[in-house]
Amino acid sequence: MNDSWTKRVLPRGLLAAPPVILVLPVVMLQLVVSVAFLQRHFEGVTRQMTGNVVLEIDYLTDRVAEARDLDAAQGHGGAGSAAGHAGGSAGCRRSVPPHDRRIFPT
């Protein structure tokens, strides 16, 4: 154990040790903060995208349920088809699930 990897990696001289002591903690802190920020950002984007998909599926389900026949449900024509509708998803009944899978505390 006399020839450990730390002795091979760490500097031996007095002039090389202080830069390592100053730079290494800054780099480690920046890495941890960056990972926490990116994870929180991607979880927020995923939550928003999931909510949008839920609203779109609910909207399409409502439009198919309101269609009078198969062609209208598929959007192939007719005054009541989904293709001719230029509205939003107002009036949706479902909401986004409230649970959260965040690892880092806020």
Side-chain angles (χ1 to χ4, degrees):
M1 189 100 172
N2 203 7
D3 190 30
S4 68
W5 66 273
T6 55
K7 288 188 178 184
R8 286 180 282 155
V9 173
L10 293 178
R12 293 188 186 114
L14 290 176
L15 293 176
V20 171
I21 292 171
L22 294 175
V23 171
L24 189 64
V26 172
V27 170
M28 293 301 292
L29 182 65
Q30 188 174 12
L31 182 67
V32 169
V33 170
S34 298
V35 167
F37 171 77
L38 288 174
Q39 181 176 2
R40 187 169 181 182
H41 171 71
F42 285 134
E43 284 181 4
V45 169
T46 302
R47 189 178 305 113
Q48 290 175 0
M49 295 296 288
T50 302
N52 288 338
V53 168
V54 167
L55 291 175
E56 288 180 16
I57 290 173
D58 188 41
Y59 171 73
L60 291 175
T61 304
D62 290 344
R63 294 294 294 170
V64 168
E66 293 171 0
R68 62 183 186 282
D69 60 355
L70 181 61
D71 283 337
Q74 291 177 346
H76 290 282
S81 70
H85 183 69
S89 57
C92 291
R93 296 179 307 253
R94 297 184 192 126
S95 63
V96 179
H99 64 282
D100 192 5
R101 304 194 84 164
R102 187 173 298 148
I103 294 174
F104 293 106
T106 56

